[in-house]
Amino acid sequence: MKRVRIVRMVLIVSALLLIFSAALNCMAHRRMRAEVYVHAENLNTVGIVRKLDYAIGFGKPLEKFYGLDLLLDHAMELSDNILAAEVLDREGNSIINAGTMDSSIRQSSEGEDYRLEDDGIYSFVDFGEGQIVIRLNRAQLDHDVKEYISWMAKLFASILAMITVVLLIYYLLGRKNPNPASLKQMRVLSLILLVGGQVVMGGFATVYDAVSYQDSVTQIEDAASQVVQADINEVLDKGMKYSELKKMDEYLNNLCGEIQELSHMELSEAKPEEGSQMDVYPLFLRDDSSGVVYLSAATNQDMVRNKMINHIIDTVIIIMVSIFVSLEIIVFITSHLKERAQRKEGEIYFPGFRLFVFVSGVAFSLDSGFVSVFSRQLYERMNLPDSMSFLSGMPNTLQSLSIVLGLFGCGFFISRLGTRKTLLFGIGMGVAGYVLCAVSVNLPIFIAARFVFGFCDGLVINTIRLYASSQEDPDMHNKILVTYFAAINLGICCSVVIGGLVADVSSYAIVFCLGALLGVACLFFIGFSGFSDQKGGSRMSFTGAVRQMRYRRVFIFMLFLVVPIYIAPLFVEYTFPLFGDEIGFSNSLVSGCLMLNFLIIAYLTDPISEWVNKRIRPRKAIVAYVLLQAASIGQFVFFRTAWSAILALILTSLWDCFGMVVIDSVLDDVKGTTGEQNTLLQMIFGKAGVVIGPVLVTANLSKGAAGATGTIVIILLSGVALYLVLDTLTGIKEKTRKVKG
């Protein structure tokens, strides 16, 4: 390959990926600044909440609380950024409002602190009998984000200029070399420049965010001083003097308890001397005898440190996502250049196949973090009675049903359409589902949209698994599965981060539209993957798979090993995040740990599964897999510490690298069965495990996350014990029949 083409290609890819990384960093910065800005402005409602809770505590009904309008006006006077305020009761009905509010905007879930709208930022503050909604001016946030974007553009230009200089030197030094650049040189150079560029950009972004957050803490301190000044002046206006005020220390301590960023506050009539470790703010009082007093505020360093760690983790996750995308592009380009000459019609083309799986993993997991939230919002808009609350979960229920129908029907579609057209149909259903999700204006439409979308998972994932099991060459079967698991896990890993950031800074509809666009790209990549339109026979039918249950070894394997194996991932998907919440892990730290799980599977599946397949027979390997899973999760259940949980997460990821590959080959020696039917049957029983697993685990949540996880260990150990006993007895009976025959 000519050196000038390498330079041009690496430069274009570097520019695109730097833009991608810069966009993710801008989204993360906007989210961080919005959270701090809203928190600082919410402090102006502290006085209202205190008065409401105090009055309601004596039995005073909220709707008969006279003077609410004065309280709202007072809060709006404290900050120019508060444009409007409204008090709601427990049912979300408006009691009173000040300023102009959009009455349709309500909190969609308990975890939603604010919502960005065109006319401002709507913040939600709870109190005993209801909620306060305030509309904030978003001009300050928009100005800060514009400054950050401008700074990021300069950083992007600087990094791209450095990459350009390096590529120019590489080109000039190689002009005298008559030999063309090798693929190995290209891969090494590209990796160094792309990964290095992402690390530099992420490092500078981390420093910028650290300085920005320190400024935000100062903003919170200033807001707290305004609250103290307003509360004191309110008392002074009633005729008291500052010198007559009592229990000020108790008042300040209670206020510190409500403001996590502050550890201590104190008042003094004389200005503290220079060198004090606390920040000092003058309070101007409406009391002629005092005039000015000084508030000294000390920052809660532990809390600020934890926040900074969370921001650093967020930035590192963004850097890692950018690096993963960079690696996938480089792997595709170099693999394509190497293998395109050997590409054969009708055979799987692995560079295109891996790219297709990776992009589909990104495309169809973008919404996984907020589907339930969006569904709840649509349900709330319908103003239905509590007895109809089950409707908010109907989109997920119908999607799961559609996935099962897709699973049952994928054999039918493959038999009549072929693998490639079945995948095209599945991706098309995913795109159509996303489009319907984006235009959903009410819950019934969204329910229908998720039902359509579910066929995508039901067809695409299972079709690829069946295609792998149809390969007569065991090495080809394993290679397809290894490539699939690596690419899909990496795609999901990146997708969760990207979808969450886009949803935070724009809207859910934008995420759905982005997923649809990536889905359209997948339609092209299917053709580039080498799937053929050759139609299958009866081996792909659902009824044929069920008939294989007549073989006792098949039934025992499916019931006592497959079902527990598909229940085991609940530790990663469900109980680990719950345990992290119990011990105080931040969302960022939990996300980082889960990303580690995806990474291990993505990059170690190939070497680990290859080593196991060469040395251990499938039946022994799958038993070892279940026992290792039980031991790894079991040590977490026993010790119940943060480090044991993380260790269990790492170990289970390592075992998944070979367990989910060899599971397809365990029944290859059972006469009368086929690989495709065994795989189809396995996926059916796997879905059963996915359905019953959450019920069994959640039944023990009263014991805590670790106690609930113990259920998974019991299921794994019981299953493998029953499998070994029954499978051994079946083997003995089969040998006895042969001898008698």
Side-chain angles (χ1 to χ4, degrees):
M1 184 176 181
K2 293 183 178 180
R3 195 173 298 271
V4 67
R5 292 180 61 189
I6 290 181
V7 172
R8 188 186 305 120
M9 185 181 299
V10 175
L11 187 60
I12 293 173
V13 172
S14 298
L16 293 175
L17 290 176
L18 285 173
I19 292 173
F20 169 74
S21 181
L24 292 182
N25 277 290
C26 289
M27 293 176 191
H29 178 80
R30 183 183 184 185
R31 181 176 62 182
M32 184 268 289
R33 291 296 297 178
E35 289 174 353
V36 176
Y37 173 61
V38 169
H39 178 46
E41 294 299 332
N42 282 352
L43 295 179
N44 295 301
T45 65
V46 168
I48 303 177
V49 171
R50 190 185 298 117
K51 291 181 176 66
L52 288 173
D53 285 339
Y54 180 79
I56 292 171
F58 284 97
K60 189 172 185 177
L62 180 61
E63 62 272 10
K64 294 184 179 181
F65 189 105
Y66 301 108
L68 267 179
D69 54 342
L70 297 177
L71 289 179
L72 295 182
D73 291 338
H74 178 64
M76 294 175 64
E77 291 173 359
L78 291 177
S79 173
D80 294 335
N81 291 321
I82 300 180
L83 303 178
E86 184 178 19
V87 176
L88 312 177
D89 61 16
R90 281 184 172 179
E91 285 72 38
N93 301 314
S94 178
I95 302 298
I96 193 172
N97 64 69
T100 304
M101 298 284 289
D102 186 340
S103 59
S104 66
I105 295 180
R106 295 289 184 264
Q107 187 181 36
S108 61
S109 65
E110 292 184 2
E112 186 180 37
D113 297 323
Y114 64 92
R115 192 181 303 172
L116 289 168
E117 300 290 341
D118 293 337
D119 62 340
I121 305 174
Y122 285 77
S123 175
F124 311 103
V125 181
D126 295 324
F127 63 93
E129 293 296 319
Q131 188 178 78
I132 300 172
V133 181
I134 59 176
R135 181 167 71 91
L136 302 173
N137 189 342
R138 56 181 295 167
Q140 179 179 331
L141 174 64
D142 292 340
H143 175 73
D144 178 82
V145 172
K146 287 180 181 178
E147 283 190 344
Y148 186 81
I149 293 174
S150 176
W151 176 82
M152 186 61 71
K154 296 175 183 177
L155 180 61
F156 162 79
S158 301
I159 296 175
L160 189 61
M162 289 188 291
I163 292 176
T164 303
V165 170
V166 173
L167 289 173
L168 184 60
I169 294 174
Y170 167 79
Y171 174 72
L172 294 175
L173 291 178
R175 290 183 65 182
K176 297 180 180 180
N177 185 1
N179 296 323
S182 66
L183 289 175
K184 184 177 181 180
Q185 284 180 322
M186 177 186 173
R187 176 172 290 191
V188 172
L189 176 65
S190 302
L191 288 176
I192 292 175
L193 292 178
L194 294 178
V195 174
Q198 301 299 332
V199 171
V200 171
M201 177 170 282
F204 277 101
T206 302
V207 174
Y208 189 104
D209 285 342
V211 175
S212 179
Y213 184 71
Q214 289 295 338
D215 293 340
S216 301
V217 173
T218 303
Q219 181 183 353
I220 291 173
E221 290 181 349
D222 182 65
S225 70
Q226 297 299 319
V227 171
V228 175
Q229 177 177 279
D231 286 349
I232 293 176
N233 280 329
E234 184 179 359
V235 177
L236 297 182
D237 289 341
K238 295 177 181 180
M240 291 190 68
K241 294 183 178 181
Y242 176 76
S243 58
E244 298 173 346
L245 297 180
K246 306 295 183 182
K247 297 183 178 181
M248 288 303 296
D249 290 341
E250 181 180 345
Y251 160 75
L252 293 175
N253 288 334
N254 290 336
L255 189 59
C256 276
E258 298 172 5
I259 306 174
Q260 298 179 345
E261 287 81 3
L262 302 181
S263 61
H264 178 69
M265 289 192 294
E266 61 183 39
L267 288 169
S268 59
E269 297 188 30
K271 186 175 182 179
E273 297 180 359
E274 297 288 340
S276 173
Q277 293 184 350
M278 294 193 291
D279 297 319
V280 179
Y281 299 88
L283 307 183
F284 301 96
L285 308 181
R286 293 192 287 268
D287 181 356
D288 294 337
S289 63
S290 302
V292 179
V293 295
Y294 297 92
L295 175 70
S296 299
T299 303
N300 184 343
Q301 294 297 331
D302 290 337
M303 190 269 181
V304 172
R305 188 181 305 111
N306 289 336
K307 283 280 189 179
M308 284 308 306
I309 291 174
N310 290 340
H311 289 318
I312 291 172
I313 293 174
D314 284 340
T315 306
V316 170
I317 290 174
I318 291 174
I319 294 172
M320 296 298 290
V321 168
S322 302
I323 289 175
F324 300 150
V325 175
S326 303
L327 292 176
E328 285 304 302
I329 291 177
I330 294 303
V331 168
F332 166 72
I333 292 174
T334 53
S335 299
H336 174 58
L337 293 174
K338 180 180 179 181
E339 299 181 24
R340 60 181 176 176
Q342 291 80 34
R343 181 180 179 183
K344 296 180 180 178
E345 190 69 26
E347 289 186 3
I348 191 77
Y349 182 56
F350 281 97
F353 172 65
R354 182 183 176 102
L355 186 62
F356 159 67
V357 174
F358 174 73
V359 176
S360 65
V362 175
F364 299 111
S365 302
L366 285 171
D367 60 345
S368 57
F370 62 78
V371 167
S372 58
V373 175
F374 183 58
S375 175
R376 185 69 182 179
Q377 288 179 3
L378 294 176
Y379 167 76
E380 294 287 349
R381 295 176 190 172
M382 299 177 70
N383 296 317
L384 296 173
D386 292 340
S387 60
M388 303 290 288
S389 60
F390 69 91
L391 287 176
S392 66
M394 284 300 291
N396 285 337
T397 303
L398 265 293
Q399 180 179 344
S400 299
L401 175 61
S402 181
I403 291 174
V404 173
L405 293 177
L407 165 62
F408 290 162
C410 65
F412 172 84
F413 284 109
I414 294 172
S415 298
R416 286 155 180 79
L417 301 178
T419 301
R420 188 177 70 88
K421 289 182 179 178
T422 300
L423 289 173
L424 287 171
F425 178 67
I427 296 295
M429 294 292 286
V431 172
Y434 262 151
V435 172
L436 285 174
C437 289
V439 300
S440 294
V441 294
N442 55 48
L443 187 60
I445 295 178
F446 190 62
I447 291 173
R450 298 312 291 183
F451 182 81
V452 173
F453 182 81
F455 272 96
C456 180
D457 280 342
L459 286 178
V460 175
I461 295 175
N462 299 310
T463 296
I464 293 176
R465 293 288 301 274
L466 289 174
Y467 180 80
S469 63
S470 68
Q471 304 299 311
E472 296 181 359
D473 183 358
D475 291 336
M476 179 62 71
H477 166 265
N478 291 335
K479 187 175 181 180
I480 292 173
L481 283 184
V482 167
T483 304
Y484 169 75
F485 283 123
I488 196 70
N489 277 281
L490 203 57
I492 295 173
C493 175
C494 298
S495 182
V496 172
V497 176
I498 297 170
L501 286 175
V502 174
D504 282 340
V505 302
S506 57
S507 68
Y508 299 144
I510 296 298
V511 181
F512 293 135
C513 291
L514 177 61
L517 289 174
L518 290 174
V520 172
C522 290
L523 293 175
F524 166 75
F525 293 136
I526 290 175
F528 196 54
S529 299
F531 290 109
S532 67
D533 280 331
Q534 182 178 357
K535 301 174 179 60
S538 60
R539 297 189 304 175
M540 290 292 186
S541 69
F542 169 70
T543 54
V546 174
R547 287 196 202 100
Q548 295 199 162
M549 295 286 289
R550 68 183 185 274
Y551 299 107
R552 192 174 182 184
R553 282 190 58 191
V554 174
F555 176 77
I556 293 170
F557 173 73
M558 296 298 171
L559 185 62
F560 297 112
L561 275 193
V562 171
V563 173
I565 284 173
Y566 277 82
I567 291 176
L570 282 174
F571 164 65
V572 176
E573 301 167 1
Y574 187 61
T575 58
F576 178 84
L578 283 179
F579 181 73
D581 183 64
E582 288 178 4
I583 63 177
F585 274 9
S586 66
N587 290 332
S588 300
L589 188 54
V590 172
S591 298
C593 292
L594 294 180
M595 179 176 277
L596 183 63
N597 168 263
F598 289 121
L599 289 182
I600 291 174
I601 297 174
Y603 287 110
L604 295 182
T605 295
D606 192 359
I608 291 178
S609 63
E610 183 180 0
W611 187 90
V612 171
N613 282 321
K614 288 182 177 180
R615 292 165 175 80
I616 307 176
R617 294 176 62 85
R619 182 173 179 274
K620 292 182 178 179
I622 202 66
V623 171
Y625 167 69
V626 175
L627 292 175
L628 288 170
Q629 288 282 53
S632 302
I633 301 174
Q635 61 86 27
F636 157 65
V637 176
F638 180 79
F639 292 107
R640 305 189 178 203
T641 63
W643 288 111
S644 65
I646 294 175
L647 177 62
L649 188 73
I650 294 173
L651 291 177
T652 55
S653 305
L654 289 172
W655 314 144
D656 280 339
C657 289
F658 73 87
M660 299 310 293
V661 175
V662 301
I663 192 173
D664 279 359
S665 306
V666 175
L667 298 176
D668 285 352
D669 61 338
V670 179
K671 293 183 178 180
T673 66
T674 65
E676 298 96 320
Q677 302 289 24
N678 287 334
T679 299
L680 184 57
L681 197 59
Q682 176 206 136
M683 290 185 290
I684 294 171
F685 273 83
K687 292 298 180 185
V690 171
V691 171
I692 67 174
V695 178
L696 298 175
V697 173
T698 53
N700 293 291
L701 271 180
S702 58
K703 302 176 183 178
T709 306
T711 304
I712 298 175
V713 178
I714 294 173
I715 292 172
L716 286 171
L717 292 177
S718 301
V720 73
L722 288 170
Y723 168 74
L724 288 173
V725 171
L726 296 175
D727 189 70
T728 301
L729 292 176
T730 300
I732 293 174
K733 288 183 179 180
E734 289 177 352
K735 290 181 180 178
T736 303
R737 289 194 194 118
K738 289 180 180 179
V739 171
K740 290 181 178 180

